[in-house]
Amino acid sequence: MYDAINDKLKEECGVFGIYSKDKTLDVASYTYYGLYALQHRGQESAGITVSNGFIMETHKNLGLLTEAFCKDDLNKLKESLRVSHEELEKQDTEVLGNISIGHVRYSTTGSTKIENCQPLVSRSKLGSIAIAHNGNLVNADIIRELLEDSGSVFHTTIDSEVIINLIARNAKKGIKTAVFNATQAIRGSFALVIMAEGKLIGIRDPHGIRPLCLGHIDGNYILASESCALDTIGAEFIRDIEPGEIVVIDENGIDSIKYSEKTQCETCSFEYIYFARPDSVMDGINVHEFRVKSGEMLYKQSPVEADIVVGVPDSGLACAIGYSNVSGIPFDPGFVKNRYVGRTFITPNQEMRERAVSVKLNPLKANVKGKRVILIDDSIVRGTTSKHLVESLRRAGAKEVHFRVASPAVKNPCYFGIDTSYRSELIGANNSQEDIREMIGADSLDYLSMENLLKALGEDKGFCLGCFNGVYPVSTPIETDKNHLER
């Protein structure tokens, strides 16, 4: 069923971890604010796990971070970690915990329920292990069946539990070996933060499809999905975790392990096009600068005479600025965005579903009336929202509406951590560009070409372009939906 509010590729997840040598540092609060900066990557659930070297405590719940946590929840996390009087005397200080990991989730596998919230925590011969995962495993079903056949019990329907079970099975070999062996079995996309044996561990898949970076603040180390999370808590960016790299952080510092020799950075192109926050830098590419450059390339590829350039908030705005800069056509806001409409917005019937886009984005009539408008968006998925945006501009008095898309046509599903539609539901997979133009009601339509997308990104590194050209860095399963792990 069409949801006008969410006619976009859906976000994946965000992960965050912090290791502090100073056990009086409030790592739970640092994690909370780090996750707040990553909220755009997932709004279905949020969770934090904290360890003081003796025990682990977790709080997680459904909803936005501010819904899943209140001040008392963070205080309870810290209170639960206060060690016994005898241990306090040994430490000669108050121990608040020195390692914390956190997760914000949009479900790409498994349904939205409390059992599937992360971080996941498991007990093994290593003690407790906690894990937070961004990405998707393409061989999770096979591994899960093998593990179940050998006696493993699963409590969730998400592929992340496959990873924690693999690690637990090799626990007696030590956490480094257990993690290394687990990475040899899993295939797909993954950016992981793991907490075990008093260590914080970060892992990135051999193709670097999902982002993960390393930072520090006052001698304390941080792992995060995006650099914007480091900025939020006042930390400094050190570097991106390399594809096929494991980093182990403990009291001795950082140990880097390469677990895969066949690595090539092929970051998901949609991270730059839509998902990432514009103030993030990912694998050396500034997200905002890329989006402005893609708008510039759009004009060079597909100029049109018009009176105003309008961007669809939020990720289309920088593209519109780039288009305006090189064309000389003024950029002006064309829509007012209601920022209080979230994923839980209820559209009770078909008529209201069709009008729902106006609840989130309403045209600014004073800016578009009587004008020829160039409307720029980052992508078109099903096309229904695009149609409503064009219609709303015409109702607001626009003389012409020329639609420009700052990415190639989306023709294939993603199997690596983005919840895309079936191929049959993707407007770009089943219609010609002219047909799409007629369907959305625009006077003209053009997509950024693959060549110009790569020029805007910079062609000195690789990218996953599977949703555009069907060529994936990892062999993909038969087309399925996000609930393929449901039992």
Side-chain angles (χ1 to χ4, degrees):
M1 187 173 287
Y2 165 64
D3 177 358
I5 293 296
N6 295 319
D7 185 20
K8 283 285 184 183
L9 298 182
K10 302 301 190 298
E11 291 88 338
E12 319 118 311
C13 299
V15 298
F16 184 92
I18 179 169
Y19 180 93
S20 171
K21 290 184 179 180
D22 177 7
K23 295 193 176 184
T24 62
L25 191 73
D26 187 359
V27 291
S29 293
Y30 272 97
T31 304
Y32 178 87
Y33 289 109
L35 291 178
Y36 197 83
L38 299 172
Q39 185 73 87
H40 60 287
R41 298 185 69 85
Q43 297 96 44
E44 290 189 358
S45 67
I48 295 174
T49 300
V50 183
S51 172
N52 62 9
F54 300 100
I55 56 173
M56 284 185 189
E57 291 293 337
T58 301
H59 176 83
K60 53 187 177 181
N61 212 337
L62 299 175
L64 299 171
L65 188 68
T66 51
E67 297 168 329
F69 283 84
C70 64
K71 188 175 181 180
D72 285 345
D73 295 324
L74 284 176
N75 288 336
K76 287 176 184 175
L77 268 180
K78 289 178 275 188
E79 285 291 333
S80 64
L81 290 177
R82 296 186 192 280
V83 295
S84 67
H85 178 70
E86 292 79 15
E87 289 165 335
L88 279 174
E89 286 183 338
K90 293 175 188 175
Q91 297 288 336
D92 197 31
T93 184
E94 182 181 43
V95 179
L96 294 176
N98 70 314
I99 314 175
S100 178
I101 66 173
H103 188 268
V104 287
R105 179 176 188 253
Y106 175 79
S107 59
T108 52
T109 65
S111 58
T112 306
K113 53 186 180 181
I114 190 69
E115 292 87 350
N116 289 339
C117 298
Q118 297 188 43
L120 297 180
V121 180
S122 174
R123 289 200 59 81
S124 72
K125 293 178 182 178
L126 283 172
S128 294
I129 307 170
I131 185 172
H133 172 210
N134 170 213
N136 235 31
L137 304 185
V138 297
N139 64 339
D141 288 357
I142 297 168
I143 298 175
R144 182 174 179 135
E145 280 190 32
L146 292 171
L147 289 171
E148 286 178 331
D149 289 344
S150 62
S152 293
V153 177
F154 285 80
H155 303 283
T156 76
T157 59
I158 57 177
D159 55 356
S160 310
E161 194 176 8
V162 168
I163 303 171
I164 203 168
N165 268 276
L166 284 171
I167 295 171
R169 282 175 63 85
N170 289 299
K172 62 184 179 183
K173 299 178 181 178
I175 186 62
K176 286 186 182 181
T177 302
V179 166
F180 183 91
N181 289 345
T183 61
Q184 305 306 301
I186 56 178
R187 298 288 181 270
S189 65
F190 46 93
L192 300 165
V193 290
I194 299 169
M195 184 165 61
E197 285 190 339
K199 295 175 173 58
L200 174 66
I201 300 170
I203 311 173
R204 197 172 178 196
D205 69 73
H207 298 277
I209 299 171
R210 295 289 150 235
L212 189 65
C213 66
L214 175 69
H216 73 94
I217 179 169
D218 301 327
N220 306 302
Y221 290 106
I222 296 156
L223 295 166
S225 289
E226 292 184 36
S227 63
C228 64
L230 304 178
D231 299 334
T232 297
I233 62 171
E236 291 186 26
F237 175 84
I238 297 176
R239 65 177 178 88
D240 292 290
I241 304 303
E242 295 293 324
E245 182 184 15
I246 301 170
V247 291
V248 181
I249 303 169
D250 58 20
E251 59 187 6
N252 298 315
I254 299 176
D255 184 19
S256 173
I257 304 165
K258 290 293 283 186
Y259 68 87
S260 177
E261 294 180 0
K262 296 179 180 179
T263 62
Q264 180 184 354
C265 193
E266 295 180 87
T267 317
C268 169
S269 56
F270 251 97
E271 289 284 358
Y272 304 102
I273 294 166
Y274 176 60
F275 295 123
R277 252 177 53 164
D279 51 336
S280 288
V281 177
M282 200 174 287
D283 292 316
I285 298 174
N286 183 293
V287 175
H288 174 75
E289 290 178 358
F290 155 72
R291 290 176 183 169
V292 172
K293 185 73 177 293
S294 65
E296 294 173 355
M297 300 302 294
L298 257 180
Y299 173 73
K300 293 174 182 177
Q301 173 187 311
S302 187
V304 63
E305 292 186 7
D307 304 305
I308 183 175
V309 180
V310 167
V312 178
D314 286 307
S315 50
L317 297 178
C319 308
I321 290 170
Y323 196 102
S324 172
N325 288 344
V326 293
S327 68
I329 302 170
F331 165 81
D332 222 347
F335 291 95
V336 175
K337 183 176 182 179
N338 183 345
R339 300 187 183 278
Y340 299 95
V341 177
R343 291 191 178 279
T344 55
F345 180 76
I346 299 169
T347 50
N349 54 51
Q350 183 63 30
E351 181 184 359
M352 289 311 298
R353 269 194 292 273
E354 292 175 356
R355 297 178 183 274
V357 68
S358 299
V359 177
K360 191 172 185 180
L361 294 173
N362 199 43
L364 195 56
K365 294 180 182 179
N367 281 0
V368 301
K369 187 175 182 180
K371 294 180 179 177
R372 298 168 296 172
V373 177
I374 299 170
L375 178 61
I376 298 182
D377 203 354
D378 57 83
S379 59
I380 298 178
V381 181
R382 295 177 183 86
T384 321
T385 292
S386 304
K387 178 182 178 182
H388 285 299
L389 292 174
V390 172
E391 288 175 349
S392 65
L393 287 175
R394 294 199 189 280
R395 286 196 301 271
K399 286 169 57 178
E400 298 174 7
V401 180
H402 301 275
F403 209 112
R404 295 294 180 270
V405 186
S407 63
V410 176
K411 297 183 177 181
N412 304 279
C414 174
Y415 301 97
F416 304 114
I418 302 174
D419 182 25
T420 51
S421 306
Y422 288 103
R423 189 175 284 104
S424 60
E425 296 175 355
L426 298 171
I427 193 172
N430 302 287
N431 300 277
S432 69
Q433 186 168 306
E434 177 59 22
D435 288 339
I436 297 169
R437 182 199 67 77
E438 290 184 3
M439 292 165 73
I440 67 174
D443 291 283
S444 69
L445 169 69
D446 200 13
Y447 291 89
L448 188 66
S449 69
M450 188 77 75
E451 178 186 2
N452 285 333
L453 172 67
L454 291 173
K455 284 182 180 177
L457 284 167
E459 297 177 83
D460 57 339
K461 68 179 288 295
F463 301 93
C464 178
L465 303 165
C467 56
F468 304 127
N469 61 12
V471 180
Y472 302 96
V474 182
S475 297
T476 59
I478 298 171
E479 185 173 333
T480 183
D481 70 1
K482 70 171 184 174
N483 295 311
H484 73 278
L485 280 179
E486 285 294 321
R487 298 299 177 99

